[in-house]
Amino acid sequence: AQKITQTQPGMFVQEKEAVTLDCTYDTSDPSYGLFWYKQPSSGEMIFLIYQGSYDQQNATEGRYSLNFQKARKSANLVISASQLGDSAMYFCAMAPKTSYDKVIFGPGTSLSVIP
Amino acid sequence: DSGVTQTPKHLITATGQRVTLRCSPRSGDLSVYWYQQSLDQGLQFLIHYYNGEERAKGNILERFSAQQFPDLHSELNLSSLELGDSALYFCASSVEASSRGEQYFGPGTRLTVT
């Protein structure tokens, strides 16, 4: 069965510092996608970054990068130069590449950026 | 702004009632997904429609149903409402041509059942 684990319920980071949000997953699918979404206090879910399981390089999108370690089944999100607007819930998600509607989400990590 | 619209933004109703949530996907997106987010269950996939046809079902109760219309907007119908149905309901759409499968979420409808 597929499962996403985010072990950090809450994280704090100083403004302008980098922070890593942990995500580990379990799947028997040979090919899958990993996603990170951000949910600010306003409630909307915002897509941040995607990593395919067979991608050779770690994904980057602006200040977001994904530290993908396939053997360890981890897909940690790294946010560089944190900004106050980064304060939000962050969800790691996974779906088999053959069936992206079977996406599952982790429980989320609450990130607070301190001025 | 993701381009996905949902109405209403808030809905307060009583137990036993029926409500309809509406979603319009981003222009050009054929897929619509519905999710329920609650404090105890987290974010749960309910159902996926593609171009008017049901593609996949997740943890959707029999009291809930959905449909996607020819203009691609979708409605989620919740009936015989219970207190436990109080949650944030999201609609999302995706680009079929994308190999990534990322989904773009609407702002959500917050349902409160009293």
Side-chain angles (χ1 to χ4, degrees), chain B residues 31-101:
Chain B
S31 272
V32 168
Y33 306 80
W34 285 98
Y35 293 89
Q36 179 193 60
Q37 186 180 35
S38 60
L39 282 174
D40 54 344
Q41 299 282 342
L43 194 60
Q44 301 249 324
F45 165 67
L46 295 179
I47 199 163
H48 169 213
Y49 273 83
Y50 173 79
N51 202 20
E53 292 188 4
E54 182 186 302
R55 275 284 181 92
K57 268 186 175 180
N59 299 321
I60 187 166
L61 300 172
E62 285 192 11
R63 300 183 285 108
F64 296 1
S65 65
Q67 54 184 329
Q68 186 179 27
F69 295 87
D71 67 352
L72 301 178
H73 91 271
S74 177
E75 292 180 356
L76 179 67
N77 300 296
L78 315 175
S79 62
S80 303
L81 285 167
E82 302 175 0
L83 295 177
D85 297 327
S86 295
L88 189 54
Y89 291 84
F90 285 109
C91 160
S93 71
S94 68
V95 180
E96 292 309 310
S98 169
S99 62
R100 304 193 303 182

Side-chain angles (χ1 to χ4, degrees), chain A residues 38-46 85 87-89:
Chain A
K38 171 184 176 181
Q39 186 176 36
S41 57
S42 51
E44 74 273 27
M45 294 282 286
I46 303 166
S87 294
M89 281 290 288

